[in-house]
Every structure is written in structure tokens, then in C-alpha cells.
Coordinates of all heavy atoms in Angstrom, one line a residue:
M203 N -19.8 8.4 2.9 CA -19.4 7.4 3.8 C -17.9 7.4 3.9 O -17.2 7.4 2.9 CB -19.9 6.0 3.4 CG -19.5 5.0 4.4 SD -20.1 3.4 4.0 CE -19.0 2.9 2.7
A204 N -17.3 7.6 5.1 CA -15.9 7.6 5.3 C -15.3 6.2 5.3 O -16.0 5.2 5.7 CB -15.5 8.3 6.6
L205 N -14.1 6.1 4.8 CA -13.4 4.8 4.8 C -12.9 4.5 6.1 O -12.2 5.3 6.7 CB -12.3 4.8 3.7 CG -11.6 3.5 3.5 CD1 -12.5 2.5 2.9 CD2 -10.4 3.7 2.6
N206 N -13.2 3.3 6.7 CA -12.8 3.0 8.1 C -11.5 2.1 8.1 O -11.3 1.4 9.0 CB -13.9 2.2 8.8 CG -15.1 3.1 9.1 OD1 -14.9 4.3 9.3 ND2 -16.3 2.6 9.0
I207 N -10.7 2.2 7.1 CA -9.4 1.5 7.0 C -8.3 2.5 7.4 O -8.2 3.5 6.7 CB -9.2 0.9 5.6 CG1 -10.3 -0.1 5.3 CG2 -7.8 0.2 5.6 CD1 -10.2 -0.6 3.9
K208 N -7.5 2.2 8.4 CA -6.4 3.0 8.7 C -5.1 2.3 8.4 O -4.7 1.3 9.1 CB -6.4 3.4 10.2 CG -7.4 4.5 10.5 CD -7.0 5.5 11.4 CE -5.9 6.3 11.6 NZ -5.9 7.6 11.1
P209 N -4.4 2.6 7.4 CA -3.1 2.0 7.1 C -2.1 2.3 8.1 O -2.2 3.3 8.8 CB -2.7 2.5 5.7 CG -3.6 3.7 5.5 CD -4.7 3.6 6.4
I210 N -1.1 1.4 8.3 CA -0.1 1.5 9.3 C 1.2 1.9 8.6 O 1.6 1.4 7.6 CB 0.0 0.2 10.1 CG1 -1.3 -0.1 10.8 CG2 1.2 0.2 11.0 CD1 -1.3 -1.5 11.4
G211 N 2.0 2.8 9.3 CA 3.3 3.1 8.8 C 3.3 3.9 7.5 O 2.5 4.8 7.4
D212 N 4.1 3.4 6.6 CA 4.2 4.1 5.3 C 3.3 3.5 4.2 O 3.5 3.7 3.0 CB 5.7 4.0 4.8 CG 6.1 2.6 4.5 OD1 5.5 1.7 5.0 OD2 7.1 2.5 3.8
R213 N 2.2 2.9 4.6 CA 1.3 2.4 3.7 C 0.1 3.4 3.4 O -0.2 4.2 4.2 CB 0.7 1.1 4.2 CG 1.7 0.0 4.1 CD 1.2 -1.3 4.7 NE 2.1 -2.4 4.5 CZ 3.2 -2.7 5.2 NH1 3.5 -1.8 6.2 NH2 3.9 -3.7 5.0
V214 N -0.4 3.2 2.2 CA -1.6 4.0 1.7 C -2.6 3.1 1.1 O -2.3 2.0 0.6 CB -1.1 5.1 0.7 CG1 -0.2 6.1 1.3 CG2 -0.6 4.5 -0.5
V215 N -3.9 3.6 1.1 CA -5.0 2.9 0.5 C -5.4 3.7 -0.7 O -5.6 4.9 -0.6 CB -6.2 2.7 1.4 CG1 -7.3 2.0 0.7 CG2 -5.8 2.0 2.7
V216 N -5.4 3.0 -1.9 CA -5.7 3.7 -3.2 C -6.9 3.0 -3.8 O -7.1 1.8 -3.8 CB -4.5 3.5 -4.1 CG1 -4.8 4.1 -5.5 CG2 -3.3 4.2 -3.6
E217 N -7.8 3.9 -4.2 CA -9.0 3.4 -5.0 C -8.6 3.5 -6.5 O -8.3 4.6 -7.0 CB -10.2 4.2 -4.7 CG -11.4 3.7 -5.5 CD -12.7 4.5 -5.1 OE1 -12.6 5.4 -4.3 OE2 -13.8 4.1 -5.6
A218 N -8.5 2.3 -7.2 CA -8.0 2.3 -8.5 C -9.0 2.9 -9.5 O -10.3 2.8 -9.2 CB -7.8 0.9 -9.0
A219 N -8.6 3.6 -10.5 CA -9.4 4.2 -11.5 C -10.0 3.0 -12.3 O -9.4 2.0 -12.4 CB -8.6 5.1 -12.4
P220 N -11.2 3.2 -12.8 CA -11.9 2.1 -13.6 C -11.1 1.8 -14.8 O -10.5 2.7 -15.4 CB -13.3 2.6 -13.9 CG -13.2 4.1 -13.7 CD -12.1 4.4 -12.7
A221 N -11.1 0.5 -15.2 CA -10.3 0.1 -16.4 C -11.1 0.7 -17.7 O -12.3 0.9 -17.7 CB -10.3 -1.4 -16.5
E222 N -10.3 0.9 -18.7 CA -10.9 1.4 -20.0 C -11.9 0.4 -20.5 O -11.6 -0.8 -20.6 CB -9.8 1.7 -21.0 CG -8.8 2.8 -20.6 CD -9.5 4.1 -20.6 OE1 -10.3 4.4 -21.5 OE2 -9.1 4.9 -19.8
E223 N -13.1 1.0 -20.9 CA -14.1 0.1 -21.5 C -14.0 0.0 -23.0 O -14.4 -1.0 -23.6 CB -15.5 0.7 -21.2 CG -15.8 0.8 -19.7 CD -16.1 -0.6 -19.1 OE1 -16.7 -1.4 -19.8 OE2 -15.7 -0.8 -18.0
K224 N -13.4 1.0 -23.7 CA -13.3 0.9 -25.1 C -12.0 1.7 -25.5 O -11.5 2.6 -24.8 CB -14.5 1.4 -25.9 CG -14.8 2.9 -25.7 CD -16.1 3.2 -26.5 CE -16.4 4.7 -26.3 NZ -17.6 5.1 -27.1
T225 N -11.5 1.4 -26.7 CA -10.3 2.0 -27.2 C -10.7 3.4 -27.8 O -11.8 3.8 -27.9 CB -9.7 1.2 -28.4 OG1 -10.6 1.2 -29.5 CG2 -9.4 -0.2 -27.9
A226 N -9.6 4.2 -28.1 CA -9.9 5.5 -28.7 C -10.6 5.5 -30.0 O -11.3 6.4 -30.3 CB -8.5 6.2 -28.9
S227 N -10.5 4.4 -30.7 CA -11.2 4.3 -32.0 C -12.7 3.7 -31.8 O -13.4 3.6 -32.8 CB -10.5 3.4 -33.0 OG -10.3 2.1 -32.4
G228 N -13.1 3.4 -30.6 CA -14.4 3.0 -30.3 C -14.7 1.5 -30.2 O -15.8 1.1 -30.1
I229 N -13.6 0.7 -30.2 CA -13.8 -0.7 -30.1 C -13.9 -1.1 -28.6 O -13.1 -0.7 -27.8 CB -12.6 -1.5 -30.7 CG1 -12.5 -1.2 -32.2 CG2 -12.7 -3.0 -30.5 CD1 -11.3 -1.7 -32.9
Y230 N -14.9 -1.8 -28.2 CA -15.1 -2.2 -26.8 C -14.2 -3.3 -26.4 O -13.9 -4.3 -27.2 CB -16.6 -2.7 -26.6 CG -17.5 -1.5 -26.5 CD1 -18.2 -1.1 -27.6 CD2 -17.7 -0.8 -25.3 CE1 -19.0 0.0 -27.6 CE2 -18.5 0.3 -25.3 CZ -19.2 0.7 -26.4 OH -20.0 1.8 -26.4
I231 N -13.6 -3.2 -25.3 CA -12.6 -4.2 -24.8 C -13.3 -5.2 -23.9 O -14.0 -4.8 -22.9 CB -11.5 -3.5 -24.0 CG1 -10.8 -2.4 -24.9 CG2 -10.5 -4.5 -23.5 CD1 -9.9 -1.5 -24.1
P232 N -13.2 -6.5 -24.1 CA -13.8 -7.5 -23.3 C -13.1 -7.5 -21.9 O -11.9 -7.2 -21.8 CB -13.6 -8.8 -24.0 CG -12.5 -8.6 -24.9 CD -12.5 -7.1 -25.3
D233 N -13.8 -8.0 -20.9 CA -13.2 -8.1 -19.5 C -11.9 -8.9 -19.5 O -11.0 -8.6 -18.7 CB -14.2 -8.7 -18.6 CG -15.3 -7.8 -18.2 OD1 -15.1 -6.5 -18.4 OD2 -16.4 -8.3 -17.8
T234 N -11.8 -9.9 -20.3 CA -10.6 -10.8 -20.3 C -9.4 -10.1 -20.9 O -8.2 -10.5 -20.6 CB -10.8 -12.1 -21.0 OG1 -11.2 -11.8 -22.4 CG2 -11.9 -12.9 -20.4
A235 N -9.5 -9.0 -21.7 CA -8.4 -8.3 -22.3 C -8.1 -7.0 -21.7 O -7.2 -6.3 -22.1 CB -8.8 -8.1 -23.8
K236 N -8.8 -6.6 -20.7 CA -8.6 -5.3 -20.0 C -7.3 -5.3 -19.2 O -7.0 -6.3 -18.6 CB -9.7 -4.9 -19.1 CG -11.0 -4.6 -19.8 CD -12.1 -4.2 -18.8 CE -13.4 -3.9 -19.6 NZ -14.5 -3.7 -18.7
E237 N -6.5 -4.2 -19.3 CA -5.3 -4.1 -18.5 C -5.6 -3.6 -17.1 O -6.6 -2.8 -17.0 CB -4.3 -3.2 -19.2 CG -3.7 -3.8 -20.5 CD -2.5 -3.0 -20.9 OE1 -1.9 -2.3 -20.1 OE2 -2.3 -3.1 -22.1
K238 N -4.8 -4.0 -16.2 CA -5.0 -3.5 -14.8 C -4.7 -2.0 -14.8 O -3.8 -1.5 -15.5 CB -4.1 -4.1 -13.8 CG -4.4 -5.6 -13.6 CD -3.5 -6.2 -12.6 CE -3.9 -5.7 -11.3 NZ -3.3 -6.5 -10.2
P239 N -5.5 -1.2 -14.1 CA -5.3 0.3 -14.1 C -4.0 0.5 -13.3 O -3.6 -0.2 -12.4 CB -6.5 0.9 -13.4 CG -7.1 -0.3 -12.7 CD -6.7 -1.5 -13.4
S240 N -3.3 1.6 -13.7 CA -2.1 2.0 -13.0 C -2.2 3.4 -12.4 O -1.2 4.0 -12.1 CB -0.9 1.9 -13.9 OG -1.0 2.7 -15.0
E241 N -3.4 3.9 -12.2 CA -3.6 5.1 -11.6 C -4.8 5.1 -10.7 O -5.7 4.2 -10.9 CB -3.7 6.3 -12.5 CG -4.9 6.3 -13.4 CD -4.9 7.5 -14.4 OE1 -4.3 7.4 -15.4 OE2 -5.5 8.5 -14.0
G242 N -4.9 5.9 -9.7 CA -6.0 5.9 -8.8 C -6.0 7.1 -7.8 O -5.1 8.0 -8.0
T243 N -6.8 7.1 -6.9 CA -7.0 8.2 -5.9 C -6.7 7.6 -4.5 O -7.2 6.6 -4.1 CB -8.4 8.7 -5.9 OG1 -8.7 9.1 -7.3 CG2 -8.5 9.9 -5.0
V244 N -5.8 8.4 -3.8 CA -5.5 8.0 -2.4 C -6.7 8.3 -1.5 O -7.2 9.4 -1.5 CB -4.3 8.8 -1.9 CG1 -4.0 8.5 -0.4 CG2 -3.1 8.5 -2.8
V245 N -7.2 7.3 -0.8 CA -8.3 7.4 0.1 C -8.0 7.4 1.6 O -8.8 7.8 2.4 CB -9.4 6.4 -0.2 CG1 -10.0 6.7 -1.6 CG2 -9.0 5.0 -0.2
A246 N -6.8 6.9 1.9 CA -6.4 6.8 3.3 C -4.8 6.7 3.3 O -4.2 6.1 2.5 CB -7.0 5.6 4.1
V247 N -4.2 7.3 4.3 CA -2.8 7.3 4.5 C -2.4 6.9 5.9 O -3.1 7.2 6.8 CB -2.1 8.6 4.1 CG1 -2.3 9.0 2.7 CG2 -2.6 9.7 5.0
G248 N -1.2 6.3 6.0 CA -0.7 5.9 7.3 C 0.0 7.1 8.0 O -0.1 8.3 7.5
T249 N 0.7 6.9 9.0 CA 1.4 8.0 9.8 C 2.8 8.2 9.3 O 3.4 9.2 9.7 CB 1.4 7.6 11.3 OG1 2.1 6.4 11.4 CG2 0.0 7.6 11.9
G250 N 3.3 7.4 8.4 CA 4.7 7.5 8.0 C 5.6 6.8 9.0 O 5.2 6.2 9.9
T251 N 6.9 7.0 8.8 CA 7.9 6.5 9.7 C 8.6 7.7 10.4 O 8.5 8.8 9.8 CB 9.0 5.7 8.9 OG1 9.6 6.5 8.0 CG2 8.3 4.5 8.3
P252 N 9.2 7.5 11.5 CA 9.9 8.6 12.2 C 10.9 9.3 11.3 O 11.1 10.5 11.4 CB 10.5 8.0 13.4 CG 9.7 6.7 13.7 CD 9.3 6.3 12.3
D253 N 11.6 8.5 10.5 CA 12.7 9.0 9.6 C 12.2 9.8 8.4 O 12.8 10.7 7.9 CB 13.6 7.9 9.2 CG 14.3 7.2 10.4 OD1 14.4 7.9 11.4 OD2 14.7 6.1 10.2
E254 N 11.0 9.3 7.9 CA 10.5 9.8 6.6 C 9.0 10.0 6.7 O 8.2 9.0 6.6 CB 10.9 8.8 5.5 CG 11.0 9.5 4.2 CD 11.6 8.5 3.2 OE1 12.7 7.9 3.5 OE2 11.0 8.4 2.1
P255 N 8.4 11.2 6.8 CA 7.0 11.4 6.7 C 6.4 11.1 5.3 O 7.2 11.2 4.3 CB 6.8 12.8 7.1 CG 8.1 13.5 6.8 CD 9.2 12.4 6.9
L256 N 5.1 10.8 5.2 CA 4.5 10.6 3.9 C 4.4 11.9 3.1 O 4.1 12.9 3.7 CB 3.2 9.9 4.1 CG 3.2 8.5 4.7 CD1 1.7 8.0 4.8 CD2 3.9 7.6 3.8
T257 N 4.5 11.8 1.8 CA 4.4 13.0 0.9 C 3.0 13.0 0.2 O 2.6 14.0 -0.2 CB 5.5 13.0 -0.2 OG1 5.5 11.8 -0.9 CG2 6.8 13.2 0.5
V258 N 2.3 11.9 0.2 CA 1.0 11.8 -0.4 C 0.0 12.1 0.6 O 0.2 11.9 1.8 CB 0.7 10.5 -1.1 CG1 1.6 10.3 -2.3 CG2 0.7 9.3 -0.2
K259 N -1.2 12.6 0.2 CA -2.3 12.9 1.1 C -3.6 12.4 0.5 O -3.7 12.1 -0.7 CB -2.3 14.4 1.5 CG -2.5 15.3 0.3 CD -2.4 16.8 0.8 CE -2.6 17.7 -0.3 NZ -1.7 17.6 -1.4
V260 N -4.6 12.3 1.3 CA -5.9 11.9 0.9 C -6.4 12.8 -0.2 O -6.3 14.0 -0.1 CB -6.9 11.8 2.0 CG1 -8.3 11.5 1.5 CG2 -6.5 10.8 3.1
G261 N -6.9 12.2 -1.3 CA -7.4 12.9 -2.4 C -6.4 13.1 -3.6 O -6.8 13.5 -4.7
D262 N -5.1 12.8 -3.4 CA -4.1 12.9 -4.4 C -4.4 11.8 -5.5 O -4.7 10.7 -5.2 CB -2.7 12.6 -3.9 CG -2.2 13.9 -3.2 OD1 -2.8 14.9 -3.3 OD2 -1.1 13.7 -2.5
K263 N -4.3 12.2 -6.8 CA -4.3 11.2 -7.9 C -2.9 10.8 -8.1 O -2.0 11.6 -8.3 CB -4.9 11.8 -9.1 CG -6.4 12.2 -8.9 CD -7.1 12.2 -10.2 CE -8.6 12.6 -10.1 NZ -9.4 11.7 -9.3
V264 N -2.7 9.5 -8.1 CA -1.3 8.9 -8.2 C -1.2 7.9 -9.3 O -2.2 7.3 -9.7 CB -0.9 8.3 -6.9 CG1 -0.8 9.3 -5.8 CG2 -1.8 7.2 -6.4
L265 N 0.1 7.7 -9.8 CA 0.4 6.6 -10.7 C 1.3 5.6 -9.9 O 2.2 6.0 -9.1 CB 1.3 7.2 -11.8 CG 0.6 8.2 -12.7 CD1 1.6 8.7 -13.7 CD2 -0.6 7.6 -13.4
Y266 N 1.0 4.3 -10.1 CA 1.7 3.3 -9.4 C 2.0 2.1 -10.3 O 1.5 2.1 -11.5 CB 0.9 2.8 -8.2 CG -0.5 2.4 -8.5 CD1 -0.8 1.2 -8.9 CD2 -1.5 3.3 -8.3 CE1 -2.1 0.8 -9.2 CE2 -2.8 3.0 -8.6 CZ -3.1 1.7 -9.0 OH -4.4 1.4 -9.3
G267 N 2.8 1.2 -9.9 CA 3.1 0.0 -10.7 C 1.9 -0.8 -11.0 O 1.0 -0.9 -10.2
K268 N 1.9 -1.4 -12.2 CA 0.7 -2.2 -12.6 C 0.4 -3.3 -11.6 O -0.8 -3.6 -11.4 CB 1.0 -2.8 -14.0 CG -0.2 -3.3 -14.6 CD 0.1 -3.8 -16.0 CE 0.2 -2.6 -17.0 NZ 0.3 -3.0 -18.4
Y269 N 1.4 -4.0 -11.0 CA 1.2 -5.1 -10.1 C 1.5 -4.7 -8.7 O 1.9 -5.6 -7.9 CB 1.9 -6.3 -10.6 CG 1.5 -6.7 -11.9 CD1 2.2 -6.4 -13.1 CD2 0.2 -7.4 -12.1 CE1 1.7 -6.8 -14.3 CE2 -0.2 -7.7 -13.3 CZ 0.5 -7.5 -14.5 OH 0.1 -7.8 -15.7
S270 N 1.5 -3.4 -8.3 CA 1.8 -3.0 -7.0 C 0.6 -3.2 -6.0 O -0.5 -3.2 -6.4 CB 2.1 -1.5 -7.0 OG 3.3 -1.2 -7.7
G271 N 1.0 -3.4 -4.7 CA 0.0 -3.4 -3.7 C -0.8 -4.7 -3.6 O -0.6 -5.7 -4.3
T272 N -1.6 -4.8 -2.6 CA -2.5 -5.9 -2.3 C -3.9 -5.5 -2.5 O -4.4 -4.5 -1.9 CB -2.2 -6.4 -0.8 OG1 -0.9 -6.7 -0.6 CG2 -3.1 -7.6 -0.5
E273 N -4.6 -6.3 -3.3 CA -6.0 -6.0 -3.6 C -6.9 -6.4 -2.4 O -6.7 -7.5 -1.9 CB -6.5 -6.7 -4.8 CG -5.7 -6.2 -6.1 CD -6.1 -6.9 -7.3 OE1 -7.0 -7.9 -7.2 OE2 -5.6 -6.6 -8.4
I274 N -7.8 -5.5 -2.0 CA -8.8 -5.9 -1.0 C -10.2 -5.4 -1.4 O -10.3 -4.5 -2.2 CB -8.5 -5.3 0.4 CG1 -8.5 -3.7 0.4 CG2 -7.1 -5.8 0.9 CD1 -8.5 -3.1 1.7
T275 N -11.2 -6.0 -0.9 CA -12.6 -5.6 -1.1 C -13.2 -5.2 0.2 O -13.1 -5.9 1.2 CB -13.4 -6.7 -1.7 OG1 -12.8 -7.1 -2.9 CG2 -14.8 -6.2 -2.0
Y276 N -13.7 -3.9 0.3 CA -14.3 -3.4 1.5 C -15.6 -2.7 1.2 O -15.6 -1.8 0.3 CB -13.3 -2.4 2.2 CG -13.7 -1.9 3.5 CD1 -13.7 -2.7 4.7 CD2 -14.3 -0.7 3.7 CE1 -14.1 -2.2 5.9 CE2 -14.7 -0.2 4.9 CZ -14.6 -1.0 6.0 OH -15.0 -0.5 7.2
D277 N -16.7 -3.1 1.8 CA -18.0 -2.6 1.5 C -18.3 -2.7 0.0 O -18.9 -1.7 -0.5 CB -18.2 -1.2 2.0 CG -18.4 -1.1 3.5 OD1 -18.7 -2.2 4.1 OD2 -18.2 -0.1 4.1
G278 N -17.9 -3.7 -0.7 CA -18.2 -3.9 -2.1 C -17.4 -3.1 -3.0 O -17.6 -3.1 -4.2
K279 N -16.4 -2.4 -2.6 CA -15.5 -1.6 -3.5 C -14.1 -2.2 -3.4 O -13.7 -2.7 -2.4 CB -15.4 -0.2 -3.0 CG -16.7 0.6 -3.3 CD -16.6 2.0 -2.9 CE -16.4 2.8 -4.2 NZ -16.3 4.2 -3.9
E280 N -13.4 -2.1 -4.5 CA -12.0 -2.6 -4.6 C -11.0 -1.5 -4.3 O -11.1 -0.4 -4.7 CB -11.8 -3.1 -6.1 CG -12.6 -4.2 -6.6 CD -12.2 -5.5 -6.0 OE1 -11.0 -5.7 -5.8 OE2 -13.1 -6.4 -5.7
Y281 N -10.0 -1.9 -3.4 CA -9.0 -1.0 -3.0 C -7.7 -1.7 -3.1 O -7.6 -2.9 -3.2 CB -9.2 -0.5 -1.6 CG -10.4 0.3 -1.3 CD1 -11.6 -0.3 -0.8 CD2 -10.5 1.6 -1.7 CE1 -12.7 0.4 -0.6 CE2 -11.7 2.3 -1.5 CZ -12.8 1.7 -0.9 OH -13.9 2.4 -0.7
L282 N -6.6 -0.9 -3.1 CA -5.2 -1.4 -3.1 C -4.5 -0.9 -1.8 O -4.6 0.3 -1.6 CB -4.4 -1.0 -4.3 CG -4.8 -1.6 -5.6 CD1 -4.2 -0.9 -6.8 CD2 -4.4 -3.1 -5.7
I283 N -3.8 -1.7 -1.1 CA -3.0 -1.2 0.0 C -1.6 -1.4 -0.4 O -1.2 -2.5 -0.8 CB -3.3 -2.0 1.3 CG1 -4.7 -1.8 1.8 CG2 -2.3 -1.6 2.4 CD1 -5.0 -2.5 3.1
M284 N -0.8 -0.3 -0.5 CA 0.6 -0.4 -0.9 C 1.5 0.6 -0.1 O 1.0 1.4 0.6 CB 0.6 0.0 -2.4 CG 0.3 1.4 -2.7 SD 0.3 1.8 -4.5 CE -1.1 0.8 -5.1
R285 N 2.8 0.3 -0.2 CA 3.7 1.2 0.4 C 3.8 2.5 -0.4 O 3.6 2.5 -1.6 CB 5.1 0.6 0.5 CG 5.1 -0.6 1.5 CD 6.6 -1.0 1.7 NE 6.6 -2.2 2.6 CZ 6.6 -2.1 3.9 NH1 6.6 -0.9 4.4 NH2 6.7 -3.1 4.7
E286 N 4.2 3.6 0.2 CA 4.3 4.8 -0.5 C 5.4 4.7 -1.6 O 5.3 5.3 -2.6 CB 4.6 6.0 0.4 CG 4.6 7.3 -0.3 CD 5.0 8.5 0.5 OE1 6.0 8.3 1.3 OE2 4.5 9.6 0.3
S287 N 6.4 3.9 -1.3 CA 7.5 3.7 -2.3 C 7.0 3.1 -3.6 O 7.7 3.1 -4.6 CB 8.6 2.9 -1.7 OG 8.2 1.7 -1.3
D288 N 5.9 2.4 -3.6 CA 5.3 1.8 -4.8 C 4.6 2.8 -5.7 O 4.3 2.5 -6.8 CB 4.3 0.7 -4.5 CG 4.9 -0.5 -3.8 OD1 6.1 -0.7 -4.1 OD2 4.2 -1.2 -3.1
I289 N 4.4 4.1 -5.2 CA 3.8 5.1 -6.0 C 4.9 5.9 -6.7 O 5.9 6.3 -6.2 CB 3.0 6.1 -5.0 CG1 1.9 5.3 -4.4 CG2 2.5 7.3 -5.8 CD1 1.1 6.1 -3.3
Y290 N 4.7 6.0 -8.0 CA 5.7 6.6 -8.9 C 5.6 8.2 -9.0 O 6.6 8.9 -9.0 CB 5.6 6.1 -10.3 CG 5.9 4.6 -10.4 CD1 5.2 3.8 -11.3 CD2 6.9 4.0 -9.6 CE1 5.5 2.5 -11.4 CE2 7.1 2.6 -9.8 CZ 6.4 1.9 -10.7 OH 6.7 0.6 -10.8
A291 N 4.3 8.7 -9.0 CA 4.1 10.1 -9.2 C 2.7 10.5 -8.7 O 1.8 9.7 -8.7 CB 4.3 10.5 -10.6
I292 N 2.6 11.8 -8.3 CA 1.3 12.4 -8.1 C 1.0 13.2 -9.3 O 1.8 14.0 -9.9 CB 1.4 13.4 -6.9 CG1 1.8 12.6 -5.6 CG2 0.1 14.1 -6.7 CD1 2.1 13.5 -4.4
V293 N -0.2 13.0 -9.8 CA -0.7 13.6 -11.1 C -1.4 14.9 -10.8 O -2.2 14.9 -9.9 CB -1.6 12.6 -11.9 CG1 -2.0 13.3 -13.2 CG2 -0.9 11.3 -12.1

């Protein structure tokens, strides 16, 4: 199923990677102690601005600020809408 959200301008839609369920040593992390993920996959991109085209594309795995973007729920899935400038790196 294709995502029917079209971001405007220099915004992108990112599907956040799932939060870690347990530590490297095998201890399970409760929901209240989980950290927000700071990486995800780009699922939709805007058109960019006339001065600066977007450098990310659909399918890129990216790193972004922990509290970047606006959280939305669409068809039961969680997404983030953020400006491309909130993305730190393509992994």
C-alpha cells in the first residue's frame, strides 16, 4: 500500500525505526523507559524549494534529532513529518 501523504516544500515523512525492546545484555526495557528512536526510513518527500532541492529520497535511512518533527498517525502507523534540515545524516 502506497502512502497517500504528500509533504509540501522541504518537508519529508519518516517512518521511525522501532524502539529497542531489550539491552545488549538481554534485559527487557519497559515501555516507560524506552528512548525515542532517532533513526528511520524516508517514506515521502516534498518538492523542495526553488533555491535548494531536497537531497534525501524515498527509501533512505536517516538519522534525525530525538525530538524533531511532528508525530502523526495514518492508517494505524506512526510517522514523523519534519523539515529536511532536521535530518542529520543518511545512513
Side-chain angles (χ1 to χ4, degrees):
M203 180 178 78
L205 185 66
N206 292 328
I207 298 174
K208 279 220 48 99
I210 296 172
D212 66 340
R213 288 180 172 77
V214 296
V215 179
V216 175
E217 183 176 2
E222 293 292 323
E223 296 291 323
K224 63 180 180 174
T225 64
S227 60
I229 299 172
Y230 285 94
I231 303 170
D233 287 339
T234 56
K236 288 182 185 173
E237 289 194 25
K238 292 180 75 164
S240 60
E241 67 180 87
T243 304
V244 176
V245 293
V247 296
T249 56
T251 61
D253 301 334
E254 207 170 311
L256 294 178
T257 56
V258 296
K259 58 187 181 304
V260 174
D262 283 348
K263 295 208 182 293
V264 295
L265 298 176
Y266 52 87
K268 194 177 284 191
Y269 299 102
S270 297
T272 301
E273 297 177 356
I274 62 165
T275 303
Y276 184 77
D277 282 343
K279 291 183 103 179
E280 297 285 327
Y281 297 101
L282 290 166
I283 296 179
M284 65 181 70
R285 291 188 181 276
E286 186 187 37
S287 60
D288 291 337
I289 296 174
Y290 299 143
I292 298 173
V293 182

